[in-house]
Amino acid sequence: MSPSQPSLELWQTEWCPASHRVRQRLTELGLTYTVRQVPVAREDRAELVSSTWQESIPVLVAEGEVIAGEDAIVSYLNTRFAEPPEAEHQRAKAAKAKQQELETACPKLAAATR
């Protein structure tokens, strides 16, 4: 982590689309962060609640500041970190992977997009 980058901790789950979009933005920005996996069942999220006072994900903790929800997190990241030149490459790579995933899941889609 660079000296100018705050400590970032993302509370999330792998299956959550909003968490995925936040992870993608963190990757585009080239930021280092710690991932905290959150249980699926809300009643099992005591650690999330005691650490962030939030019950829903995603939650980003940046230097002690708690930012909850995908839109708020992305806005926070966009206002505090400059987008590096390789961000567009990261977006293109992610879009290509998503397209391949969709084509694998739906062969008719693959045929229609070729």
Side-chain angles (χ1 to χ4, degrees), residues 18-29:
S19 295
H20 173 79
R21 288 186 290 271
V22 169
R23 289 191 313 272
Q24 177 62 34
R25 188 63 184 143
L26 288 160
T27 299
E28 290 169 6
L29 293 170

Side-chain angles (χ1 to χ4, degrees), residues 12-15 37-45 55 57:
Q12 60 103 56
T13 63
E14 294 300 313
W15 55 264
Q37 294 297 334
V38 175
V40 173
R42 286 184 187 268
E43 62 271 12
D44 295 334
R45 294 182 178 182
E55 294 180 0
I57 54 170

